[in-house]
Amino acid sequence: MVKSFFFFRLFLSISVLTLFANCEDVRRILVAKLGDAGKYEAEGKESGLNPIYTLKDEKRKRIKIKLTTVGEGLIQPTDLLFVPESELFLVAEKTGDLKWSDPKNGSSGTLLKLSNVKTDAEEGFLGIALHPSFPNHPKIYFNYVIEKNGKDMSIVSEWIVENHKDIKHAKIINERIIMELEQPYSNHNGGQLAFGPDGKLYIGWGDGGWKGDPKGNGQNPKTMLGSMLRISVDSKDPGKQYSVPKDNPFVGDPTKLPETFAYGFRNPWRYSFDPAGKLILADVGQDLYEEIDVVEAGKNYGWNKMEGLHCFEPKDNCDSKGLTDPIYEYGREDGSSITGGYVITNDRIPELQGHYIFADFVSGRIWAIAIPKVGESKAQVDALTLGKWPILVSTFGKDSRGNVYAADFGSGKVYRIDPDK
């Protein structure tokens, strides 16, 4: 799902797909079926759970870590969220279940089953977020995909958490649909939700799918696809279940949607806010490069003119004027589908404090980079390597103590990243 068309890239070499590439219905079928054609398998044996290092890693500084199992028995986890004033974390599963898990003893349970979730290719139950004033405002927000009137629709909705003081026995009730968005294809759905330090909800959408952004959504600020949106869930504008913040960058601009905070993304897969309030986003690439962006209001991040720091369409001498470069990129020798993480805020692993940790879903490699200060535009060239692990890192989580966790899409386990002394 988050592998971002990894297997589909292989099938594209088959000439029969080329013959039908311009047929819209065939495209949708191919994306849905070929996206599920192979099971995702980690490179290496999970039983050993030891990192390996490639020749390229010799040029990078190594930081020794270990992965400590704190949860298991989950099915294709896509998002991981710690509950304030609690030791528990919540997990969204691709197939539609919301579960709680207790890292103290590994126990878990199901809070809600979304029975109508569509799970072709990169669809599914993809994102969860708690209201920024939780538990005073006991509300939770979901991002998932359903089929409605023959169309694939992404749903962003708000639910009430009843009996929120006892999460293990809480009830998730009274869904309120906030936003519906048609997805042209079953890949590049994005799907995360995150509240910023400003209390606003940020929604990162992919470009809608297929390959190469055939509908031009990334560079079209009149569509929500390929964009980062910023809305308020605590009030409503006429005709909407949310309101548009008056300080959004494109309010009053008829050429762009007022909900848009930034645009030019292919498939944002996990983003978070650092202690300084910077929005850090991992954008899954297509042919050659994966990238990390620091997202600022009103900026254009280049897709599909650019892939990472390089021209995509056309391949040479593209017009990059007005585009914002990523702060970091890596190529296919390192991996094929980036998963964004968090800035480390505690000192349990001193060398990682203040660094942003992220991974590649396909290769199992984990890295950390320093985030540039405001005003610095130079892309990062050095990454700290935390090793290549036999897991499929689909999402990260962070608890109130600043500890960072990684979920394995394949085994259904959740690991805490600990120092290896």
Side-chain angles (χ1 to χ4, degrees):
M1 184 266 306
V2 298
K3 207 166 186 176
S4 183
F5 238 30
F6 177 70
F7 286 105
F8 187 65
R9 292 187 187 114
L10 301 181
F11 283 100
L12 285 177
S13 63
I14 303 174
S15 59
V16 67
L17 299 191
T18 304
L19 294 176
F20 294 105
N22 293 321
C23 177
E24 191 80 1
D25 290 339
V26 173
R27 282 182 178 180
R28 292 193 182 99
I29 294 171
L30 290 173
V31 171
K33 299 307 178 185
L34 294 183
D36 288 334
K39 292 183 178 180
Y40 303 133
E41 295 183 357
E43 299 176 5
K45 296 181 179 180
E46 188 266 344
S47 58
L49 204 63
N50 293 310
I52 63 173
Y53 300 92
T54 64
L55 184 62
K56 186 173 181 179
D57 289 325
E58 297 297 329
K59 300 179 182 179
R60 295 174 172 141
K61 182 179 178 180
R62 296 185 188 181
I63 306 298
K64 295 182 66 177
I65 64 168
K66 64 180 180 180
L67 300 180
T68 303
T69 303
V70 297
E72 53 190 324
L74 302 167
I75 300 173
Q76 298 181 332
T78 56
D79 205 1
L80 174 63
L81 179 69
F82 279 82
V83 180
E85 301 182 10
S86 169
E87 296 293 327
L88 306 179
F89 59 85
L90 303 178
V91 177
E93 295 181 338
K94 175 181 166 69
T95 50
D97 285 7
L98 176 70
K99 292 184 176 177
W100 61 263
S101 186
D102 188 339
K104 288 184 176 180
N105 55 27
S107 62
S108 64
T110 301
L111 288 175
L112 182 70
K113 289 179 175 289
L114 296 170
S115 60
N116 58 340
V117 171
K118 198 168 186 289
T119 59
D120 288 345
E122 296 174 8
E123 298 176 323
F125 184 14
L126 303 176
I128 52 177
L130 290 169
H131 192 281
S133 297
F134 189 95
N136 293 330
H137 289 80
K139 298 177 181 180
I140 191 168
Y141 300 82
F142 296 165
N143 191 332
Y144 61 95
V145 182
I146 64 171
E147 184 175 333
K148 183 177 181 181
N149 299 325
K151 298 179 180 179
D152 292 0
M153 302 293 293
S154 281
I155 305 295
V156 176
S157 64
E158 175 188 271
W159 301 69
I160 302 298
V161 183
E162 191 177 65
N163 193 26
H164 61 274
K165 293 183 179 180
D166 182 9
I167 290 296
K168 294 181 180 181
H169 301 96
K171 292 184 178 180
I172 312 298
I173 61 173
N174 297 346
E175 182 179 25
R176 177 173 73 92
I177 304 297
I178 293 175
M179 181 181 293
E180 296 183 337
L181 179 65
E182 181 181 351
Q183 296 287 352
Y185 305 100
S186 55
N187 63 332
H188 304 184
N189 291 172
Q192 190 181 352
L193 302 172
F195 283 94
D198 55 7
K200 302 301 187 290
L201 180 61
Y202 290 73
I203 307 170
W205 297 117
D207 65 8
W210 182 244
K211 62 184 296 291
D213 193 11
K215 298 180 181 295
N217 292 322
Q219 290 300 303
N220 179 10
K222 287 186 177 181
T223 176
M224 291 183 177
L225 294 169
S227 297
M228 176 65 70
L229 310 185
R230 177 177 180 260
I231 64 173
S232 174
V233 297
D234 294 324
S235 57
K236 301 177 185 179
D237 287 339
K240 298 177 179 179
Q241 291 296 310
Y242 59 86
S243 65
V244 175
K246 297 186 183 302
D247 59 347
N248 269 11
F250 301 125
V251 170
D253 184 345
T255 67
K256 300 175 179 66
L257 292 180
E259 292 91 343
T260 302
F261 183 76
Y263 62 102
F265 302 108
R266 181 177 180 271
N267 191 31
W269 189 252
R270 308 298 94 177
Y271 47 88
S272 62
F273 292 87
D274 76 354
K278 292 192 290 291
L279 175 55
I280 307 170
L281 177 148
D283 197 15
V284 180
Q286 180 168 296
D287 292 339
L288 297 172
Y289 300 99
E290 309 295 301
E291 70 179 70
I292 296 173
D293 300 299
V294 173
V295 181
E296 298 178 356
K299 298 292 183 65
N300 179 351
Y301 289 84
W303 177 255
N304 67 347
K305 290 184 178 181
M306 305 283 289
E307 183 184 29
L309 294 161
H310 310 267
C311 290
F312 180 81
E313 186 63 41
K315 295 296 184 184
D316 298 299
N317 301 316
C318 58
D319 182 9
S320 61
K321 184 179 180 181
L323 305 182
T324 300
D325 288 338
I327 62 167
Y328 186 79
E329 68 170 17
Y330 65 86
R332 290 294 165 260
E333 69 278 9
D334 278 330
S336 301
S337 184
I338 193 169
T339 297
Y342 291 87
V343 168
I344 304 290
T345 55
N346 63 24
D347 60 358
R348 295 182 65 239
I349 308 175
E351 300 94 333
L352 293 181
Q353 188 172 15
H355 284 69
Y356 177 76
I357 191 169
F358 62 101
D360 188 87
F361 178 82
V362 175
S363 70
R365 289 182 171 90
I366 303 177
W367 303 275
I369 60 171
I371 299 299
K373 298 178 181 178
V374 175
E376 290 182 351
S377 59
K378 183 179 179 181
Q380 301 295 301
V381 293
D382 295 321
L384 306 176
T385 179
L386 281 62
K388 172 180 164 63
W389 299 81
I391 61 176
L392 302 169
V393 182
S394 55
T395 190
F396 288 91
K398 186 177 180 181
D399 67 19
S400 60
R401 298 183 181 90
N403 299 312
V404 173
Y405 301 73
D408 180 4
F409 188 80
S411 71
K413 293 183 178 181
V414 175
Y415 302 99
R416 186 178 61 239
I417 296 174
D418 289 333
D420 184 14
K421 298 180 180 179

